[in-house]
Amino acid sequence: MTKQVNIGVIGVGHLGFHHATHLSKIKNANLVGIYDIDSKRLDEVSKQLNVPSFESLDLLIDRVDALSIVTPTSTHKVVAEKCIQNGKHVFIEKPITTTINDADHIVQLAKKNNTIIQVGHIERFNPALLALSGLEIQPKYIEVHRMAPFMSRGTDVPVVLDLMIHDIDLVLSFIDSPVKDIYANGVSIMTSSVDIANARIKFKNGSIANITSSRVAKDKVRKIKIFQQDLYVTIDFLAGISEVYKAMDASADDPDAIMSAPLVDSDGKHRQIFYEKPIVQKQDALKLELENYIQSIMGNETPIVDGVAGKQALDVAIKIHDKILEDLK
Ligand code: NAD
C-alpha cells in the first residue's frame, strides 16, 4: 500500500493557497510543488509556503501521483483531462466542469484510467453537518439560503454554478429520489449572467427543496432548514451551529432537552418537543476534505463526493440555470 501520496496544486489563487497550505501539513501527503499560469502569484506563494514552484504543468504532473485543481471553473475540463490522461488522481474544485458533456467525459476518462476524482463540495465536511451524523434525515421540505457580498472571483460562471451548487449537492445528498420538476427564476445585477437565483425542486418521492442564492448581498448567509416527520433541523454553516427539534413521546429521558409541555395527541399519546444543540467539533472543512482525498488514494477511504456526485449536482444546476434563462427570455 502507498505510504505517502506525492501531490501538486494547480492554481494557487485564493482557494489554491489554502489547498497548498493544508497539503503541506496533512499526514501521508507530500506536497511536491505548485503551478499557476500567473508567474508572479506562483512565485509569491512558493516563497510564502516554502514549496517548489514548477514552470510548466507537464513538469509538475510528471513528478506526482495526484493533483488538486483549483483553477477557475472554465478551465477544469482541460486541466483535469491532462492530469487524468497521465494516470493521475484529481481533486477538482466545485463545480466539476461547466457542462454535462465535459463532466461525463472527465468521469469516463477517470474510469478508463483507473484514477480517483473527488469534487470540492466542501459543505459535506462542514463540522455543523458532521455533528448531525447520528440523525436519520429524510426531508419532506428543505429551505436553503446562501448569500455573499459581490466579488469578481467566481463570476466566470453564473451564481447557480458558483454558489447554489453547494446547496444542490447537499439537497441531493439528503433526498434519495430522482428530480421530478424544477421551477426557477433569477436576475442579473452586477454581471451579464445570473447573480440572484431561486429554485424550487420537486422530487419523485414528493419532497421539495427551495433554494435561494445571491452573490450581491450585504452579508454572508449560509443556512439550511430541514423539515420532516417529527423532526425539524437547522444548520448554520457559517456560524457552525446545528439545532434539532424533535417531537417524541413524553417518556423520553433527558429532562433538560424538553421544550414544550406535553400535549395529548389524537391517539391519546403524550407528545413533547425536545431541543438539542449537538456539540460541533472545531475542525477545518477543507482539511477534512483533503484528508478524505489522500486516504482515498491510499485505499483506506472512498471520496465522500466523487466524480459522479459532482456530475449529478452539475446536472441539476444546469437544469435550474436553463429554466432561469427561459424565464428571462
Ligand atoms: P482565483 O481566481 O483566486 O484563483 C485561480 C488561480 O488559478 C489564479 O491564480 C490563476 O492565475 C490560476 N489559473 C487560471 N487558469 C489556470 C490554468 N489553466 N492553469 C494553472 N493556473 C491557472 O479563484 P478561486 O476563488 O481560488 O477559485 C478557484 C476554483 O475554486 C473555482 O473553481 C471555484 O469555483 C472554486 N472555489 C470553491 C470554493 C469552495 O467553497 N469549495 C470557494 C472558492 C472557490
Side-chain angles (χ1 to χ4, degrees), residues 13-15 36-38 70-73 76 93-94 120 153 166:
H14 167 73
L15 191 58
D36 197 295
I37 49 165
D38 178 344
V70 205
T71 56
T73 301
H76 288 180
E93 258 310 331
K94 53 52 56 178
R153 277 193 294 111
H166 282 293

Side-chain angles (χ1 to χ4, degrees), residues 10-16 35-38 41 57 69-76 79 93-95 120-122 153-154 156-157 161-162 166 289:
I10 310 172
V12 284
H14 167 73
L15 191 58
Y35 170 72
D36 197 295
I37 49 165
D38 178 344
R41 176 69 183 167
L57 181 53
I69 300 173
V70 205
T71 56
T73 301
S74 45
T75 67
H76 288 180
V79 176
E93 258 310 331
K94 53 52 56 178
H121 287 292
I122 194 169
R153 277 193 294 111
D156 59 328
V157 291
L161 266 67
D162 183 24
H166 282 293
E289 192 180 30

